[in-house]
Amino acid sequence: MTAARRPSPTAWALGLSGLIPFVAGAAGMLWPAALPWPVPGGAAAALGAYGAVIVSFLGGIHWGLAMAGAGGPSTLRLAWGVVPSLIAWPALLLPPAWGLAVLAAALVLCFMVDRRSYPALGLAGWLPLRGLLTAVAALSCMAGAALA
């Protein structure tokens, strides 16, 4: 299996559309009456849940890379792949302000790991997209934390 060296236009479109729940969650916390939230805890709960899903997804990418045999021995890649989930799950159990701050930090941490590991795997071309997605997602979580 060969990984795409750069994200396709489809990857860009899907990645950017994946920011909608982050921005909507933060906006819903700023203007709670503007967006009705059908979940207990409203926008903060929705933002936290989506953030935790995405943080877990970022770890899962490393499992996929390990399964594809990218970069040789995969023990560290597999181990790192579960760390984001182990950060995201307890973040959901914290009060919203703290949980969203932890998720913002986890998003940045995931990007830092990817920024270090992707070039060695020939995936440096994905970093501009990853950086943009991380910036908007982390800022949305931090805004949510400030508003909680």
Side-chain angles (χ1 to χ4, degrees):
M1 177 181 149
T2 345
R5 301 298 176 201
R6 296 196 181 312
S8 66
T10 301
W12 273 93
L14 292 171
L16 294 173
S17 68
L19 293 175
I20 293 169
F22 282 112
V23 174
M29 291 181 71
L30 188 57
W31 301 291
L35 297 169
W37 294 90
V39 295
L47 179 57
Y50 188 69
V53 167
I54 295 303
V55 168
S56 295
F57 170 81
L58 294 173
I61 290 171
H62 288 268
W63 268 66
L65 290 169
M67 291 169 64
S74 60
T75 303
L76 286 175
R77 191 164 290 112
L78 289 170
W80 165 251
V82 299
V83 169
S85 296
L86 295 175
I87 295 170
W89 176 68
L92 292 176
L93 304 175
L94 296 172
W98 286 101
L100 289 169
V102 167
L103 291 169
L107 288 161
V108 172
L109 176 63
C110 288
F111 178 72
M112 290 170 55
V113 168
D114 291 351
R115 195 177 79 189
R116 188 167 169 91
S117 62
Y118 279 19
L121 300 170
L123 300 172
W126 284 83
L127 292 174
L129 175 59
R130 281 282 290 112
L132 175 62
L133 298 177
T134 297
V136 174
L139 288 172
S140 295
C141 287
M142 285 308 297
L147 294 165

